[in-house]
Amino acid sequence: MRIDVVTIFPDYLSALDLSLVGKARASGILDLRVHDLRDWTTDRHRTVDDTPFGGGAGMVMRPDVWGRAIDDVSGRGSERGADQGAHLLLPTPSGDTFTQRTAERLAEADHLVVACGRYEGIDARVAEHYRATGTTVSELSIGDYVLNGGEVAALVMIEAVARLLPGVVGNPHSLVEESHGAAGLLEYPVYTKPPTWAEHDVPDVLLSGHHARIERWRRDEALRRTVVRRPDMVEALDVAGLDAHDLQV
Ligand SMILES: COC(=O)COc1cccc(COC(=O)c2cn[nH]c2)c1
């Protein structure tokens, strides 16, 4: 997968040089390129914003600069024609909610272009233009709060997507059991040595070596946590997949 990120703060994305995403880039699983939006400006001051039409506080990011940047990184207008796979992502507080399902869908794409907005946002015609000319555009929110720019949201989305790519995490099975995974539940509590710490013991069943009981305990705990912390997720559960024991939890 190729991911291009365009931002006025490229250094913000340097966290993606580290750890598993860093290794995925080094191994070639992920072709991640970070670009400075100002490279597509044409004036001496390298201006990317201007005052908002209709008045109001703050500044808006210019469509012409963004258009040149997105065309370039997504391969549009080049001799090889529009890059069919380029999916344009716009982190924004006013976007559709980014969830694990969104990450799974995006992990199937060949090419993501992430446009990191700042100030009061990117001129709305940018999203409008790329939608109208055949690019898949997703305006996505990572939560109901406002950041100063799209870079932090881009880090969140890129990590959530990259870790789903084959070969990025060591044990793909762990992707199934984690919170919001295929089971649609929150993850059960985990423990390691020592068996007693600060007068707290590890649940006996986990020391029993009885795998069927351990599996059952873990499923019960995942269900219990989900019911208590995320009743909204319970509604979406495939209750047909639950048995009488589950429902006694
Ligand atoms: C069309 O897209 C835009 O105009 C984006 O513009 C902005 C403006 C300010 C801040 C941000 C960053 O995104 C968030 O704050 C955010 C994303 N998720 N949850 C909070 C983006």
Side-chain angles (χ1 to χ4, degrees):
M1 171 185 278
R2 174 173 161 178
I3 301 180
D4 287 274
V5 186
V6 183
T7 164
I8 59 171
F9 294 118
D11 292 348
Y12 236 107
L13 283 294
S14 55
L16 297 175
D17 298 332
L18 306 172
S19 187
L20 291 180
V21 175
K23 289 190 176 76
R25 295 176 73 180
S27 67
I29 295 174
L30 177 61
D31 174 9
L32 179 71
R33 308 171 193 198
V34 180
H35 310 270
D36 185 339
L37 177 66
R38 295 188 195 277
D39 290 350
W40 285 276
T41 56
T42 53
D43 65 310
R44 193 155 56 88
H45 299 294
R46 308 186 77 193
T47 311
V48 296
D49 62 321
D50 207 329
T51 52
F53 277 122
M59 300 291 272
V60 174
M61 301 189 96
R62 292 169 48 164
D64 55 337
V65 182
W66 272 111
R68 287 194 294 271
I70 294 169
D71 282 353
D72 259 6
V73 302
S74 58
R76 285 165 64 105
S78 65
E79 65 288 344
R80 60 192 173 84
D83 175 340
Q84 300 313 318
H87 185 152
L88 178 59
L89 303 188
L90 296 161
T92 172
S94 57
D96 298 315
T97 303
F98 178 85
T99 68
Q100 190 65 20
R101 303 295 80 84
T102 318
E104 289 162 355
R105 194 169 64 246
L106 293 176
E108 300 298 318
D110 294 325
H111 187 187
L112 302 178
V113 174
V114 185
C116 298
R118 282 265 155 179
Y119 313 115
E120 298 313 306
I122 300 171
D123 186 298
R125 289 169 293 179
V126 172
E128 182 184 327
H129 168 67
Y130 287 99
R131 282 198 181 96
T133 50
T135 295
T136 306
V137 179
S138 297
E139 296 184 58
L140 295 172
S141 164
I142 61 168
D144 293 340
Y145 38 78
V146 181
L147 304 167
N148 292 325
E151 289 78 11
V152 168
L155 286 169
V156 166
M157 296 182 197
I158 291 168
E159 178 160 321
V161 169
R163 65 192 297 276
L164 297 178
L165 301 177
V168 175
V169 296
N171 173 9
H173 179 69
S174 63
L175 294 176
V176 173
E177 286 203 325
E178 60 191 11
S179 291
H180 306 284
L185 296 172
L186 297 182
E187 195 168 2
Y188 49 78
V190 291
Y191 302 84
T192 186
K193 295 186 280 297
T196 297
W197 169 77
E199 298 179 27
H200 301 286
D201 296 333
V202 170
D204 290 337
V205 65
L206 298 181
L207 309 177
S208 69
H210 196 298
H211 296 294
R213 287 191 195 146
I214 291 168
E215 283 310 306
R216 171 57 71 186
W217 180 88
R218 285 174 165 174
R219 180 178 174 75
D220 288 353
E221 286 303 307
L223 204 52
R224 189 193 315 277
R225 264 186 172 182
T226 309
V227 167
V228 170
R229 296 179 182 177
R230 294 294 303 275
D232 59 298
M233 285 176 66
V234 176
E235 284 162 31
L237 262 184
D238 170 17
V239 290
L242 300 178
D243 60 31
H245 174 89
D246 288 322
L247 298 174
Q248 289 166 6
V249 162

